[in-house]
């Protein structure tokens, strides 16, 4: 299992130890490798999958199912043995013979996972408040799902001001916004067995169907017993170049946000944009990358004077006023960017290893109208228990509106346990809903 963007490197490393790439053999996101001259090893199959591969998840679910059902393991083993005896040299008939027991097991597995998939609390939005709510729900023993439209967690602090210092988080005299997000994610990791995180998935709508809510997203459906909305000012989406095929390269070697500078070490990097982030990334990457080219549609940058001064003194190749015209690549990785000088026919093709598009992010709360809850402008109306107008649905953080509301992280952190507690009361009315101390809930090994 690997990060999607490192496949070429992994392929190269495997080739060096005599594994040759056979393609995906018709199964998406599962790359097969063959080998020769490995008599010292047991006969084996080698597949490389990106960590979010559906096929990998299917395999792992099947493995877990077998681990939980030893009686099925014996039956499956017996069928395979029989198939091998009957058809030692006919792979098609061998496969056909064992297909019915496999289908039976997958059916049972499907029913099981569908049942398991109804989680207790689904949180819409992975900003700071959604993250803390997920932690608190985990602490209270709930199964939790966070659905976040971006490819990263952290909401506004991660996207809009990761470098800025925040001074009003309890117990932190000052903390960079990016670090606050890292710590929230770290805190949540304690409950990784009960928290599922779905990134790059936007919640479009939801409705109560029988016992639970069916949540419709840009990728499919989720089932949940309750919902906590922590969607801030709306779903974040990066402003893109708007060029054909761009979506194929996103997160492979095209990035809309930068967290780890060292991933660009030794690379030819092209950055598009003219704001603070674009100029800062160019300055920070200049000593690390092989080359940095900054492309902006105007001659002047909208960045701090000091940063622009540093840029002028650096070796960054600054190209203004140019606009991106065409992105060329192999469908998986972008290879070059064609740019055109404003009010001219002059074009330049910039070969690249990585492309950073720093045009900022937009937010949209357009989905609110499909959620069947009361809202005013783009905020959700809640009572003092954080309940929305629909039973089982709560709102917290910047998304929630009530008399005297302050849109601050600390306020959202306070609202999270209250909403989680109400959700638990809604799902399990028989449970004691008095405050529980984490000092007595968490047992260290
Ligand atoms: C420049 C700046 C400085 C700030 N400084 C401070 C400060 O010093 N102190 C302070 O307390 N506050 C500060 N704030 C405000 C603070 O960042 C917000 O109050 C806080 O981020 C709210 O957190 P949240 O989790 O409610 O929402 P957000 O941080 O907005 O996160 C919401 C998340 O939900 C996701 N989402 C929305 N809709 C959907 C959907 N339909 N499907 C899936 N995902 C969705 C979004 O993509 C986003 O990631 C500052 C804000 C800015 C812009």
């Amino acid at each position: 299992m690997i990060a999607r963007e490192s496949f070429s490197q992994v392929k190269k490393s495997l080739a060096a130890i005599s594994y040759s790439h056979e393609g995906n053999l018709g199964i998406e996101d599962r790359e097969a490798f063959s080998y020769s001259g490995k008599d010292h090893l047991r006969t084996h199959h080698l597949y490389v999958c990106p960590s979010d591969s559906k096929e990998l998840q299917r395999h792992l679910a099947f493995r877990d199912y077998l681990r939980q059902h030893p009686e099925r393991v014996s039956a499956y083993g017996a069928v395979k043995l029989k198939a091998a005896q009957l058809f030692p040299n006919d792979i098609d008939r061998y496969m056909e013979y064992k297909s019915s027991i496999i289908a039976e097991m997958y059916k049972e597995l499907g029913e099981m996972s569908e049942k398991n998939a109804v989680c207790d609390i689904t949180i819409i939005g992975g900003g700071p408040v959604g993250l803390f709510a997920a932690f608190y729900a985990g602490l209270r023993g709930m199964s939790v799902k966070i659905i976040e439209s971006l490819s990263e967690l952290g909401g506004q602090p991660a996207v809009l001001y990761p470098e800025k210092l925040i001074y009003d988080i309890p117990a932190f005299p000052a903390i960079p916004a990016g670090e606050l997000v890292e710590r929230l994610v770290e805190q949540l990791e304690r409950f990784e067995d009960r928290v599922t995180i779905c990134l790059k998935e936007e919640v479009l709508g939801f409705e109560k169907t029988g016992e639970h809510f069916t949540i419709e997203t840009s990728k499919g459906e989720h089932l949940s017993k309750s919902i906590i909305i922590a969607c801030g000012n709306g779903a974040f989406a990066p402003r893109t170049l708007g060029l054909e095929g761009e979506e194929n390269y996103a997160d492979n070697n095209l990035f809309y946000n930068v967290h780890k500078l060292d991933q660009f070490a030794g690379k030819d990097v092209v950055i598009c944009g003219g704001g603070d982030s674009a100029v800062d990334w160019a300055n920070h990457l200049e000593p690390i990358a092989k080359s940095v080219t900054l492309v902006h549609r105007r001659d002047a940058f909208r960045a701090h004077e000091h940063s622009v001064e540093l840029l002028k003194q650096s070796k960054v190749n600054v190209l203004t006023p140019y606009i991106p015209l065409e992105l060329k690549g192999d469908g998986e990785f972008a290879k070059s960017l064609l740019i055109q000088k404003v009010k001219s026919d002059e074009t330049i093709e910039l070969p690249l290893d990585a492309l950073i598009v720093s045009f900022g992010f937009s937010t949209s709360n357009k989905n609110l109208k499909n959620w069947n809850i009361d809202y005013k402008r783009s905020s959700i109306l809640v009572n003092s228990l954080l309940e929305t107008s629909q039973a089982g649905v709560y709102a917290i953080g910047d998304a929630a509106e009530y008399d005297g509301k302050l849109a601050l992280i600390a306020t959202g952190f306070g609202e999270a346990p209250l909403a989680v507690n109400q959700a638990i009361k809604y799902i399990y009315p028989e449970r004691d809903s008095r405050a529980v101390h984490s000092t007595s809930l968490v047992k260290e090994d």
Side-chain angles (χ1 to χ4, degrees):
M1 185 171 80
I2 57 159
R4 199 171 273 278
E5 66 272 20
S6 50
F7 180 68
S8 320
Q9 188 50 47
V10 170
K11 190 169 133 183
K12 227 187 264 172
S13 308
L14 285 171
I17 51 168
S18 308
Y19 285 95
S20 20
H21 184 209
E22 299 285 316
N24 69 11
L25 306 182
I27 297 181
E28 210 186 323
D29 280 345
R30 194 203 68 169
E31 301 297 324
F33 285 78
S34 64
Y35 60 90
S36 57
K38 295 201 180 291
D39 299 338
H40 59 296
L41 296 178
R42 276 182 65 173
T43 310
H44 57 281
H45 296 285
L46 179 67
Y47 299 114
V48 175
C49 303
S51 49
D52 59 352
S53 157
K54 287 242 159 26
E55 183 60 19
L56 177 68
Q57 281 158 18
R58 206 174 69 92
H59 264 71
L60 292 179
F62 191 60
R63 180 204 62 186
D64 292 344
Y65 167 86
L66 289 176
R67 282 182 178 168
Q68 289 160 18
H69 297 82
E71 76 294 351
R72 281 299 205 178
V73 176
S74 322
Y76 184 36
V79 170
K80 281 175 81 168
L81 204 63
K82 182 89 183 164
Q85 283 161 358
L86 288 172
F87 312 109
N89 300 313
D90 188 340
I91 184 71
D92 290 337
R93 296 191 69 190
Y94 167 83
M95 300 284 282
E96 195 189 327
Y97 189 83
K98 65 183 186 127
S99 64
S100 57
I101 187 167
I102 293 181
E104 227 174 271
M105 288 191 288
Y106 267 114
K107 186 164 175 277
E108 208 177 316
L109 174 65
E111 281 161 6
M112 263 171 56
S113 50
E114 198 178 315
K115 201 165 121 230
N116 293 343
V118 184
C119 74
D120 290 319
I121 301 178
T122 294
I123 297 171
I124 304 177
V129 177
L131 285 169
F132 185 61
F135 162 77
Y136 190 76
L139 183 73
R140 297 289 301 276
M142 297 293 106
S143 58
V144 195
K145 195 176 272 178
I146 296 181
I147 305 180
E148 166 58 52
S149 61
L150 276 184
S151 59
E152 62 179 305
L153 292 167
Q156 296 174 49
V159 171
L160 301 180
Y161 58 103
E163 311 290 342
K164 285 201 161 122
L165 286 173
I166 310 181
Y167 297 91
D168 51 357
I169 302 296
F172 288 100
I175 182 167
E179 191 184 327
L180 174 71
V181 170
E182 278 170 25
R183 285 176 181 251
L184 285 163
V185 173
E186 189 188 330
Q187 189 179 30
L188 185 58
E189 277 165 8
R190 175 182 289 278
F191 301 119
E192 61 187 0
D193 58 328
R194 58 192 85 148
V195 179
T196 307
I197 294 173
C198 307
L199 296 175
K200 282 170 110 173
E201 191 163 353
E202 185 176 347
V203 172
L204 306 175
F206 53 78
E207 62 174 337
K208 185 99 193 250
T209 40
E211 289 290 287
H212 51 254
F213 290 91
T214 300
I215 301 170
E216 187 202 347
T217 72
S218 49
K219 287 190 180 167
E221 279 185 0
H222 299 264
L223 306 178
S224 188
K225 293 178 190 161
S226 67
I227 295 175
I228 296 181
I229 304 171
C231 68
N233 303 321
F236 274 111
R239 292 203 173 90
T240 62
L241 292 168
L243 296 180
E244 203 182 320
E246 185 176 347
E247 63 284 358
N248 298 330
Y249 309 118
D251 295 333
N252 286 353
N253 70 336
L254 187 161
F255 307 91
Y256 298 101
N257 208 356
V258 172
H259 294 292
K260 291 194 180 108
L261 293 174
D262 54 3
Q263 76 184 106
F264 301 99
K267 294 189 173 166
D268 289 315
V269 182
V270 173
I271 303 174
C272 294
D276 277 314
S277 300
V279 173
D280 286 349
W281 288 335
N283 285 334
H284 289 145
L285 286 174
E286 187 251 4
I288 302 171
K290 187 169 157 203
S291 72
V292 178
T293 303
L294 179 61
V295 180
H296 182 39
R297 67 196 160 105
R298 296 207 178 92
D299 284 322
F301 288 93
R302 282 173 293 102
H304 284 119
E305 222 172 287
H306 175 66
S307 312
V308 177
E309 204 41 53
L310 283 178
L311 181 72
K312 281 183 189 156
Q313 289 161 20
S314 74
K315 283 190 264 156
V316 173
N317 176 26
V318 178
L319 294 175
T320 63
Y322 279 88
I323 49 164
L325 199 63
E326 191 185 345
L327 191 55
K328 298 183 184 178
D330 60 8
E332 196 178 353
F333 291 96
K335 301 283 182 199
S336 69
L337 179 71
L338 188 69
I339 57 171
Q340 181 177 29
K341 192 156 198 174
V342 172
K343 293 184 187 157
S344 144
D345 290 337
E346 185 195 319
T347 58
I348 307 176
E349 183 162 350
L350 301 168
L352 55 89
D353 297 317
L355 176 61
I356 299 170
V357 178
S358 177
F359 291 171
F361 289 80
S362 62
T363 52
S364 160
N365 248 339
K366 64 180 186 310
N367 298 316
L368 263 184
K369 61 181 184 311
N370 304 323
W371 293 1
N372 197 20
I373 46 177
D374 292 345
Y375 65 96
K376 196 167 148 196
R377 286 187 287 274
S378 57
S379 300
I380 299 163
L381 300 174
V382 293
N383 62 18
S384 61
L385 298 176
L386 285 324
E387 292 167 325
T388 67
S389 54
Q390 190 174 166
V393 182
Y394 308 85
I396 55 176
D398 280 13
E401 178 63 38
Y402 50 84
D403 254 3
K405 167 78 186 193
L406 281 180
L408 288 174
I409 298 169
T411 319
F413 284 173
E415 292 162 356
L418 186 53
V420 168
N421 206 41
Q422 290 309 312
I424 298 174
K425 237 171 126 175
Y426 172 77
I427 312 168
Y428 304 108
E430 70 289 354
R431 287 208 190 162
D432 186 348
S433 61
R434 281 174 299 178
V436 195
H437 294 152
S438 66
T439 41
S440 56
L441 277 177
V442 177
K443 302 263 176 296
E444 294 294 352
D445 293 334

